[in-house]
Every structure is written in structure tokens, then in C-alpha cells.
Amino acid sequence: MDTINSTSFSPFGDAPLIGDHPAIDLINTVSMKGDALIDFWQTDDDVFRWLDRTNLLQKEIIPRFKQFELLTTARTLREIVRTLVIQEKEGRGGDLSQINDFLAQGHSYLELLKDASSKIQMVRRYGQKNPVQLLTPLAESAAELLSTGDLDLVRPCKGDKCVLWFYDRTKSHQRRWCSMSVCGNRHKVMAFRQRQQ
């Protein structure tokens, strides 16, 4: 059985998981670092680790594909989802054919298992013969967001130069920042300095 190579880390660290939805966290795997736009996914292992962190990876068997095959497929899915979210938010009605093609290639089945107390549980298993099948749970999450999510609550961070997005699940729906400790704090410091001048 293959395992995730935990010793191989992206030079940029791990992508933030602040989107409050897997499809939004997918979009956030590209971010700003200083003045440069960076991609947290540089290798297949970066994608495997991200899937593991988001609980979208079936760990029983970690498949291996041709080098960069998973990376290329994951980046493609990310751009499909990013484009659709932006187009739908702008009211332009995005082309669903690419995500539908992706979903059509997925393979899943239901499996019944008994837990420690012998209670029967139903679990959905996903094929892992190719990168598209491995990424099907993520594509399904994006489809769920686009079809039943409230896209009015999907917003870009208001931080200066920030490109991160979030699903505003706060009670008041007034969230403005990807993170209060990062962009929210920067805004407070900048506002304080402006008041002092």
C-alpha cells in the first residue's frame, strides 16, 4: 500500500482551509504571498496532502499515477470551479459541460459495513483508477455548492491584494475577511494608522 509522502512539502507550506466549503478551499489553493500569486500545489503529493487535510481522501489505498497527472487534473478542476463560481456570482451563467464531463467520469458505489457495535452503516466508496475518479468527491462538492449553495454568501476577501474566498456562514452574514487574524487585523492596523495621521 502506498502512503502519502509526508516528507515532501510544498515550498509555500499548506494552503489555508478557511473557505468553510471544500470547493471554496479548492479555489484557495492559489493565494498571494507578498506581491506574488502562488500555487500551493506544486507536486502530486501536495494534492494528496490537501485531499487528506480536507477529509476527501480514502486512505485505505493511496493510488499512484504518472508523475504530475494528479497535479494537472486537480489544477484543471480548480480552474473549472473557480470560473463557474465567478460566472454564476456575476449572473453570467457558466458553461456546465466541463464539470459535467468531470462528474461523468467518476465512479462510486455504496458499501455496507458494520461498526464496532455491529450496527450497519452505509459508506460511499469512490474509484481511484485515475485522477478524475480520485477527485470525484471534490467535483461533487463543487456541484453541490453550485446547485444548492447560496452563492450570495460566497465572497472574496476584502483584504488588500487578497485573492482568497470564503462561504459566509456567520449568523449576521457580515463576514468580510478570509481571516480576522490576517486580513482583518491588517485592515484594523491600517485604519488605526490613518486615524493617527
Side-chain angles (χ1 to χ4, degrees):
M1 178 194 321
D2 288 331
T3 57
I4 299 169
N5 183 355
S6 59
T7 60
S8 168
F9 292 102
S10 167
F12 306 116
D14 288 327
L17 298 178
I18 51 89
D20 286 326
H21 193 283
I24 302 302
D25 286 328
L26 167 66
I27 293 170
N28 289 342
T29 58
V30 171
S31 181
M32 294 297 289
K33 189 162 187 128
D35 289 332
L37 198 60
I38 62 162
D39 189 333
F40 287 98
W41 288 347
Q42 298 296 311
T43 67
D44 292 334
D45 281 339
D46 293 339
V47 179
F48 275 122
R49 266 195 318 281
W50 185 88
L51 289 169
D52 188 35
R53 288 177 60 224
T54 56
N55 297 315
L56 291 170
L57 185 65
Q58 295 176 145
K59 296 181 193 176
E60 294 83 13
I61 297 175
I62 307 297
R64 290 293 174 201
F65 309 113
K66 292 177 188 171
Q67 188 175 15
F68 302 122
E69 188 178 15
L70 177 60
L71 176 66
T72 302
T73 307
R75 284 176 169 176
T76 298
L77 177 61
R78 178 180 63 201
E79 294 316 308
I80 291 169
V81 173
R82 180 191 320 280
T83 300
L84 282 171
V85 166
I86 290 170
Q87 288 175 341
E88 290 299 318
K89 284 197 60 60
E90 291 175 351
R92 291 190 283 147
D95 178 7
L96 302 175
S97 63
Q98 287 183 304
I99 193 146
N100 283 335
D101 288 346
F102 206 99
L103 291 165
Q105 295 176 58
H107 171 73
S108 69
Y109 59 93
L110 295 175
E111 181 179 18
L112 295 177
L113 301 171
K114 287 191 178 183
D115 64 15
S117 65
S118 294
K119 183 178 177 186
I120 296 176
Q121 295 183 343
M122 187 168 61
V123 177
R124 180 164 297 281
R125 300 287 186 196
Y126 291 89
Q128 296 184 340
K129 291 181 180 175
N130 60 54
V132 171
Q133 287 183 355
L134 184 72
L135 294 168
T136 296
L138 184 54
E140 288 179 354
S141 175
E144 174 269 324
L145 174 70
L146 291 162
S147 63
T148 63
D150 186 346
L151 292 182
D152 287 339
L153 300 179
V154 174
R155 302 182 184 131
C157 178
K158 298 288 185 189
D160 186 40
K161 297 183 183 179
C162 187
V163 296
L164 299 180
W165 289 70
F166 57 86
Y167 196 130
D168 185 359
R169 297 183 191 271
T170 62
K171 203 173 202 176
S172 65
H173 301 306
Q174 299 297 316
R175 182 175 169 186
R176 298 177 62 201
W177 317 109
C178 62
S179 166
M180 272 309 293
S181 64
V182 180
C183 287
N185 194 42
R186 277 190 204 129
H187 175 75
K188 284 181 181 179
V189 169
M190 196 167 23
F192 175 77
R193 286 180 182 159
Q194 287 173 350
R195 285 193 304 269
Q196 297 302 307
Q197 292 175 349

